Amino acid sequence: MAIDRVITFLDAHRSVFEEQLKTLLRIPSVSAQSERDNDTRAAAEFVRKDLATIGLNEVALIETKRHPLVYAEWLDAPGQPTILIYGHYDVQPAEPLEPWNQPDPFEPVIRDGNIYARGATDDKGQMFTHLKALEGWMKTVGSLPINVKVLIEGEEEIGGKNLEIFVAENREKLACDYVVISDTSQFALGLPAITYGLKGLAYFELIVHGAKTDLHSGMFGGAVANPLNVLATILASLMGPDGKVRIEGFYDPVRPLLDWERADFAKLPFSEAEFQAKLGVTSLVGEEGYTTLERKWARPTCDVHGLYGGYSGEGPKTVLPCKAGAKLSFRLVPDQDPLAVAEQFKAHVAKVCPPGVTYEIKEHHGAPAVLVGVDSPGVHAAVRAIEAGFGTRPIFMREGGSIPVVGLFKTQLGVDTLLLGWGQDDDNLHGPNEKFSLDDFHRGIKASAHLLAEFTRD
Ligand code: BES
Ligand code: ZN
């Protein structure tokens, strides 16, 4: 059978693929850092060349206002379905560098069967599995069993708007039956998963201004509002001790967890005690009345990501700062609307902010949560493909992370995305010592090769 020849080729090329992945990981394509713009472009160029070598048609670098998109297609399977493979070649900044166990996060290190480097799992390693699966088919059979479009972007980690513009302007070109994305995780070691839900996001920066200049806290404290104190008051008002967000109307549109979901989550092999121990925390916290998996995957949350203001250098300084700021976000669930949450948040701050200060609210990314159906021909094909590639039937899970393009593909192209994650939850994406299991890399390549076959229609 054709797929057997593909799998033999993939097995024979394991070390070649690993070397290619290392080359891609050596390119520091940090989309957020403009001094790395040439490297970011080099990563796009690497992906373009790889797709051209594989033998796809219409391989192109598409310029945007910032980082280029890479597009390729192979549409020579008339009557067969079409999938659009999406991934991103950009990565998060590697800083801070001290906690990394290797001198350079962009010089991959292989340890205990894992490849360590920034972007190993998010998303270069995962994205690359699909390219190698396409290569397996093209280099053995000389064709693909279905039609394939590939779209790899370079602004995922900065919430760039250029992909959104491109998708809106190219709906015909991108038309497909399903989108396939590998940018999530498996449930656990040896337990692959299909993710059917992602959270949305509403991200803000709240900046509080007080006096014209920093002041002596002895001379002016008690008389003049302290923006840091005020910020602390506002932030403390956002969540109650029961773990609920205390913003009016926030929970109104929240779709409750369904009974089957709660029952299925409860059956998963998850130990709260082990989870707690692994993270090194003294207890798990969160909204009352929900299990840890329910809170992580399907309940909205609020987190502060950074605070600034006053003096945090060495030793004391009795300053009464004139300005303080916080970055914070709400992770959203269906059917919360990020724009409505922004309005609710602004109304809340207006209500609780004490006198004596002014403030501004900057709105960063926003994306709605997504839920995709678990009972479609595409999902069934993915289940069979993962079972063939990983040797284990995948479970269904939701995730707390956000992939805004999933919502975009639904609204613009009217299609569901298959979220086939090959990562692990301890892969440290966005953190130091990011890794990706090489076994999962090769299993992911095989699952993707099987997916193309499983999608065929008689
Ligand atoms: N791959 C992640 C999203 C993810 C991580 C989904 C883990 C499921 C499990 C993605 O690259 C990411 O980090 N997204 C951002 C989105 C934001 C910048 C709009 C996120 O979730 O913080
Ligand atoms: Zn990411």
Side-chain angles (χ1 to χ4, degrees):
M1 261 173 43
I3 183 73
D4 298 329
R5 279 157 58 204
V6 177
I7 298 297
T8 305
F9 175 92
L10 298 178
D11 277 331
H13 287 76
R14 286 172 72 101
S15 53
V16 179
F17 296 164
E18 290 177 16
E19 285 309 313
Q20 291 175 341
L21 176 59
K22 282 193 204 160
T23 307
L24 176 57
L25 290 170
R26 284 193 188 105
I27 309 174
S29 47
V30 182
S31 49
Q33 300 172 341
S34 48
E35 70 271 22
R36 303 272 207 195
D37 279 2
N38 286 341
D39 296 309
T40 306
R41 175 169 293 270
E45 188 53 38
F46 177 99
V47 172
R48 189 200 61 78
K49 263 197 205 132
D50 198 68
L51 287 162
T53 310
I54 291 167
L56 296 198
N57 305 324
E58 237 221 86
V59 184
L61 215 64
I62 298 171
E63 295 301 332
T64 72
K65 285 200 179 119
R66 188 87 202 269
H67 303 302
L69 296 162
V70 188
Y71 179 80
E73 62 183 35
W74 191 92
L75 304 176
D76 296 340
Q80 293 295 344
T82 302
I83 61 166
L84 171 67
I85 296 167
Y86 161 89
H88 62 96
Y89 63 78
D90 65 321
V91 301
Q92 285 272 319
E95 293 83 6
L97 300 180
E98 305 82 66
W100 284 82
N101 296 324
Q102 65 204 68
D104 181 359
F106 294 103
E107 184 49 56
V109 169
I110 294 183
R111 208 176 332 118
D112 304 329
N114 295 306
I115 186 159
Y116 285 85
R118 171 55 86 232
T121 189
D122 184 11
D123 176 41
K124 286 175 174 171
Q126 295 204 56
M127 173 268 285
F128 206 49
T129 60
H130 296 291
L131 271 49
K132 298 300 103 180
L134 296 172
E135 181 173 336
W137 278 94
M138 293 302 285
K139 292 281 151 77
T140 54
V141 181
S143 62
L144 303 178
I146 59 169
N147 301 298
V148 173
K149 300 176 178 180
V150 180
L151 181 63
I152 311 293
E153 72 152 320
E155 297 182 7
E156 197 273 350
E157 300 293 6
I158 51 173
K161 288 272 168 270
N162 290 315
L163 181 80
E164 209 173 308
I165 298 166
F166 179 77
V167 173
E169 287 174 354
N170 290 275
R171 289 163 55 178
E172 282 297 306
K173 186 182 183 66
L174 299 174
C176 58
D177 296 291
Y178 290 93
V179 175
V180 173
I181 303 183
S182 293
D183 195 16
T184 49
S185 298
Q186 302 178 57
F187 181 72
L189 267 182
L191 193 44
I194 294 178
T195 295
Y196 68 92
L198 292 168
K199 283 188 183 171
L201 188 68
Y203 197 113
F204 305 100
E205 186 167 349
L206 169 61
I207 305 154
V208 180
H209 299 275
K212 280 186 194 153
T213 179
D214 282 0
L215 300 167
H216 187 289
S217 68
M219 291 168 72
F220 297 94
V224 171
N226 178 329
L228 264 176
N229 294 16
V230 168
L231 190 62
T233 309
I234 297 173
L235 295 177
S237 75
L238 293 175
M239 254 205 299
D242 57 358
K244 286 221 186 280
V245 173
R246 287 195 168 168
I247 292 183
E248 213 177 304
F250 185 79
Y251 287 96
D252 291 352
V254 167
R255 217 190 289 179
L257 271 146
L258 299 174
D259 289 342
W260 71 263
E261 297 185 283
R262 298 192 90 163
D264 278 12
F265 293 0
K267 279 190 225 134
L268 291 171
F270 179 78
S271 152
E272 306 227 352
E274 272 173 35
F275 181 70
Q276 177 180 330
K278 207 165 148 184
L279 295 173
V281 290
T282 53
S283 67
L284 296 173
V285 303
E287 191 182 1
E288 279 171 9
Y290 295 91
T291 67
T292 297
L293 286 184
E294 289 169 351
R295 300 193 306 273
K296 264 162 59 67
W297 293 350
R299 296 295 300 171
T301 54
C302 168
D303 279 287
V304 178
H305 307 294
L307 289 170
Y308 54 87
Y311 178 74
S312 22
E314 196 183 346
K317 180 183 180 194
T318 50
V319 62
L320 196 165
C322 64
K323 179 181 169 185
K327 298 196 184 202
L328 70 143
S329 78
F330 300 91
R331 291 279 173 179
L332 310 178
V333 301
D335 296 305
Q336 288 178 297
D337 169 8
L339 294 175
V341 169
E343 291 313 310
Q344 291 165 349
F345 174 64
K346 287 189 227 165
H348 177 86
V349 176
K351 197 168 73 187
V352 300
C353 185
V357 295
T358 57
Y359 63 85
E360 50 184 315
I361 293 174
K362 289 188 187 162
E363 293 176 43
H364 292 287
H365 338 267
V370 289
L371 272 180
V372 294
V374 292
D375 191 17
S376 65
V379 171
H380 298 158
V383 168
R384 294 192 298 272
I386 292 175
E387 191 164 11
F390 283 75
T392 309
R393 207 175 162 77
I395 59 109
F396 288 94
M397 62 184 265
R398 287 169 69 164
E399 266 289 10
S402 311
I403 305 181
V405 294
V406 177
L408 184 72
F409 290 136
K410 183 76 189 178
T411 49
Q412 292 292 337
L413 308 179
V415 294
D416 271 354
T417 294
L418 303 171
L419 293 160
L420 315 180
W422 316 139
Q424 294 293 340
D425 71 351
D426 62 355
D427 277 349
N428 291 326
L429 47 158
H430 295 204
N433 301 307
E434 178 176 350
K435 67 168 173 66
F436 187 34
S437 149
L438 285 172
D439 281 342
D440 285 335
F441 173 59
H442 294 293
R443 289 191 275 247
I445 297 173
K446 287 185 184 171
S448 175
H450 280 284
L451 186 68
L452 301 180
E454 293 295 344
F455 253 113
T456 49
R457 284 189 200 116
D458 298 327

